[in-house]
Amino acid sequence: VDDYASSHADVGDRELARNLKHWRDMGYVIFKNAIDQSLIEVLLKDIEDFKANFASYDIPIEVRGRQLHSSQLSAFPEEDTGVKINHLHAFSRAAYSLSLSPDICNFLRHVFAAPPSIMQSLTFWRGSEQPVHVDYPYVKSQKRLPFLAAAWIPLEDVSPDAGPLAYYPGGHKLENSSLFDWGNQSIVHSDASTRSPLEFAKFLQDAMSRSGISKAEFCPRKGDVLIWHGNLPHEGTPVLDRDKTRKSYVTHFTALSDMPTFLLPSSEVSEIGRAHV
């Protein structure tokens, strides 16, 4: 990283050099006011259309750990925490465009030393309250497991009472987080796992405590972006005010060269909001 960052600093890109070193040391970077806010507004319109016509779509959605499709539910569970709309970028041009925002792609191109490609997206309406975890045991279809990063975009200003995202700076380093055995010496979660996500959360909490790493809460402004390493521990903090939303959009990326064939981009995208773009 030092040689790569220094070579780019020599040609005038000192901000990139600083960001790459921060990525190496802390496992994340933050870009302020980096996202096109008009595009966020289009995505919010798409989500409202999805909510209003919920049963008409067949979009994957997770509700408190249950993997469902929108057509199975009678209404969008907008009052609940722990709800994730999955793969919205495959239905909304605005979501797809947000995932491929220039600051995100330009930075990840250097992280992967290759063009980044979308693995999946998650859209949240409220805080997730999800226990501490890292991504690679769950997002694991990429050809090389470590080639994984995520970008978290707030779709509104995030209140400290809305259950903001929290992360553990430096926790991505294996000497701090170690590897968890899900059973039979597997480091990824599967249907055959003999240990649970809650056990994994306890393992990570203990590891962060031993390493002296405290969590940092992320209360960004609309249009900021947080990009994190696939092994950075993070969580959804408790929602203190149930009237507050925490609208946000997450994309998981790998290098284009590491995309599994079944996830390679298709030329045909079924869109919610073609008229909004």
Side-chain angles (χ1 to χ4, degrees):
V1 170
D2 287 330
D3 289 344
Y4 186 89
S6 296
S7 69
H8 283 74
D10 289 344
V11 296
D13 201 343
R14 296 187 182 278
E15 182 180 1
L16 172 62
R18 286 193 298 270
N19 285 334
L20 287 171
K21 289 178 179 178
H22 194 271
W23 176 268
R24 177 197 62 192
D25 296 338
M26 295 290 121
Y28 72 95
V29 294
I30 296 172
F31 293 103
K32 297 285 190 181
N33 195 29
I35 306 300
D36 182 346
Q37 297 213 12
S38 64
L39 198 57
I40 291 176
E41 291 303 318
V42 176
L43 177 56
L44 289 171
K45 289 178 182 177
D46 285 356
I47 296 171
E48 289 295 341
D49 182 64
F50 173 52
K51 288 167 57 184
N53 300 282
F54 199 72
S56 300
Y57 296 108
D58 195 29
I59 297 178
I61 185 168
E62 180 179 326
V63 181
R64 285 293 181 177
R66 295 176 62 217
Q67 301 296 332
L68 304 167
H69 283 259
S70 57
S71 58
Q72 294 176 268
L73 301 175
S74 59
F76 180 73
E78 65 178 284
E79 301 300 322
D80 295 344
T81 59
V83 175
K84 305 173 189 176
I85 306 171
N86 296 320
H87 306 298
L88 194 58
H89 69 281
F91 299 86
S92 164
R93 182 182 292 180
Y96 189 81
S97 298
L98 274 183
S99 293
L100 299 179
S101 293
D103 281 347
I104 297 172
C105 290
N106 289 341
F107 181 71
L108 290 180
R109 178 171 57 85
H110 293 285
V111 168
F112 294 138
S117 188
I118 301 169
M119 287 277 289
Q120 64 160 216
S121 64
L122 303 171
T123 306
F124 298 84
W125 194 253
R126 297 186 181 274
S128 70
E129 297 187 314
Q130 188 171 355
V132 61
H133 61 286
V134 300
D135 289 335
Y136 77 82
Y138 304 102
V139 185
K140 54 185 187 289
S141 296
Q142 61 274 22
K143 294 177 183 177
R144 289 177 288 181
L145 190 63
F147 274 55
L148 179 66
W152 194 97
I153 300 172
L155 306 179
E156 62 182 342
D157 295 350
V158 175
S159 164
D161 294 331
L165 175 78
Y167 55 90
Y168 291 77
H172 67 300
K173 297 181 179 180
L174 281 178
E175 61 263 34
N176 293 329
S177 58
S178 190
L179 294 173
F180 181 70
D181 182 1
W182 287 92
N184 301 312
Q185 298 184 323
S186 174
I187 63 171
V188 297
H189 181 264
S190 72
D191 291 341
S193 296
T194 59
R195 302 181 70 186
S196 71
L198 288 179
E199 289 178 280
F200 184 37
K202 176 66 164 54
F203 171 86
L204 287 173
Q205 289 283 11
D206 290 345
M208 295 302 98
S209 180
R210 285 194 305 271
S211 300
I213 298 176
S214 300
K215 67 183 176 185
E217 290 193 357
F218 188 48
C219 294
R221 302 296 298 271
K222 178 180 176 182
D224 295 343
V225 60
L226 168 67
I227 308 176
W228 70 71
H229 189 286
N231 194 42
L232 183 73
H234 56 285
E235 64 186 70
T237 59
V239 177
L240 303 179
D241 185 344
R242 296 283 163 169
D243 291 330
K244 292 189 181 298
T245 57
R246 194 206 69 181
K247 301 168 190 172
S248 55
Y249 179 70
V250 179
T251 308
H252 290 101
F253 295 90
T254 191
L256 181 58
S257 55
D258 282 80
M259 285 287 285
T261 304
F262 73 91
L263 283 180
L264 285 173
S266 170
S267 60
E268 295 195 13
V269 177
S270 174
E271 295 180 36
I272 291 175
R274 185 182 295 272
H276 293 154
V277 177

